[in-house]
Amino acid sequence: MTDDDLLPMPDFDPRTTRRAVRRGLARTAMTVLAALVVLALAATVGSSQIQRRGDREQRMTDVLGTAFKIYNPGYDIEVREWGNTTPLSMSFTVAVRPVRAVGGFVGGYESGEHVITQDFFGRVSRLPLGNYASTTLSRALVNVGTGNQPKQDSRKVLARLPEELNALAVVEFAKPLTTEELVDYTARHKSSAEKVVYERRPRSIPITWGGMTWDRAPMPETDAGEDHMIEPDEAIKLDLASFRHWVSILKDHDDGNLRDFDLSLARLRKASNDGLAYAYVDSLVTIGKLRKIIEDPLVQTVRVADVSYDLERP
């Protein structure tokens, strides 16, 4: 091949060169951007899938949702929405309402919805309510074991109130009762132990369990496999059984989060193993019945937390 066979070199065109460079840069930028989008999507989906691995979402509400209820015994709490997952956290929503005497005024305390959040590493963020909440029921529970408001003072309170009023009350025992003793006691007084206090912890919120503290607690079935009406004595035994079942699913690594709820594995395990009732909560008991209950030698004192009209209304 000779020089005459080669095509002539075109003249240099700055404008064409600039356009070519711009097209190259644009293609490169689009390629990089597309790669970043793919990586971001992969990271988002991947981290969400990692957080949702196994039964992690369900266990979050089983452990943290239930711990939040123990942390706030002065509120009725419902887990309304769970499994909200982002690349960096998981959360669920709880609806709260202060516990009051049945038929009474419901306002006057913080209520509504709150969000419980757990980060990518499984740690809980700052919690609402708890030690920052002060309801009439939580104040009554904090006084269990303190010796405050002895019988003579409680009798004066009960004497000032009409006997037909419904009350929310904490009945404290002189010594803790076994499950069988609690069943006999409630049957004798026709009283409802809606929540049972399973430890003595003066001036702090004690471990209190009952009713729907754990939403997924196993329920009894008939021989045909159908739910049946639960009698009061059976309810007390089932509540303790569900408390023990819940504690059995807790792992050692849960202890850090439980301490954020003012709990610990050691306390929960001891309380569930002992199964001793130091006090109980009843939201549908009349003042007249409380006047009889307080005279029982098994009872240390009775604390009225609310009655079926608003105590704080001017």
Side-chain angles (χ1 to χ4, degrees), residues 14-31:
R15 296 178 60 187
T16 302
T17 302
R18 284 195 295 270
R19 284 197 298 269
V21 171
R22 283 196 295 267
R23 285 195 298 269
L25 290 174
R27 282 196 297 269
T28 301
M30 291 177 64
T31 301

Side-chain angles (χ1 to χ4, degrees), residues 221-227:
E221 295 184 347
T222 62
D223 293 339
E226 298 177 353
D227 292 346

Side-chain angles (χ1 to χ4, degrees), residues 173-195:
F173 295 118
K175 67 177 185 65
L177 304 187
T178 65
T179 301
E180 291 73 21
E181 290 171 334
L182 179 60
V183 165
D184 291 342
Y185 165 89
T186 54
R188 181 157 39 88
H189 287 288
K190 295 182 173 58
S191 187
S192 176
E194 298 169 20
K195 294 184 178 183

Side-chain angles (χ1 to χ4, degrees), residues 132-205:
Y132 305 99
S134 180
T135 69
T136 54
L137 178 54
S138 65
R139 290 196 294 269
L141 290 169
V142 163
N143 274 297
V144 170
T146 62
N148 294 338
Q149 198 173 348
K151 276 190 176 183
Q152 59 268 27
D153 293 342
S154 293
R155 288 191 187 103
K156 294 175 183 178
V157 173
L158 295 172
R160 292 197 299 265
L161 298 169
E163 67 176 10
E164 70 276 6
L165 286 181
N166 289 334
L168 169 66
V170 175
V171 178
E172 181 181 347
F173 295 118
K175 67 177 185 65
L177 304 187
T178 65
T179 301
E180 291 73 21
E181 290 171 334
L182 179 60
V183 165
D184 291 342
Y185 165 89
T186 54
R188 181 157 39 88
H189 287 288
K190 295 182 173 58
S191 187
S192 176
E194 298 169 20
K195 294 184 178 183
V196 177
V197 178
Y198 283 108
E199 68 173 349
R200 179 175 284 121
R201 195 175 180 229
R203 297 176 182 83
S204 299
I205 293 292

Side-chain angles (χ1 to χ4, degrees), residues 261-302:
F261 293 88
D262 194 28
L263 296 168
S264 73
L265 270 176
R267 282 175 50 215
L268 288 165
R269 287 169 175 167
K270 183 179 188 309
S272 64
N273 287 335
D274 293 347
L276 296 176
Y278 291 83
Y280 71 92
V281 178
D282 192 341
S283 67
L284 186 56
V285 60
T286 63
I287 294 297
K289 185 179 287 187
L290 288 175
R291 291 175 184 171
K292 296 177 182 177
I293 286 175
I294 200 170
E295 301 306 328
D296 191 313
L298 294 177
V299 173
Q300 178 73 21
T301 191
V302 170

Side-chain angles (χ1 to χ4, degrees), residues 220-245:
E221 295 184 347
T222 62
D223 293 339
E226 298 177 353
D227 292 346
H228 69 277
M229 184 67 70
I230 301 174
E231 298 299 327
D233 60 334
E234 187 181 13
I236 291 172
K237 296 175 183 177
L238 285 172
D239 283 347
L240 178 56
S242 72
F243 179 32
R244 286 172 168 165
H245 190 176

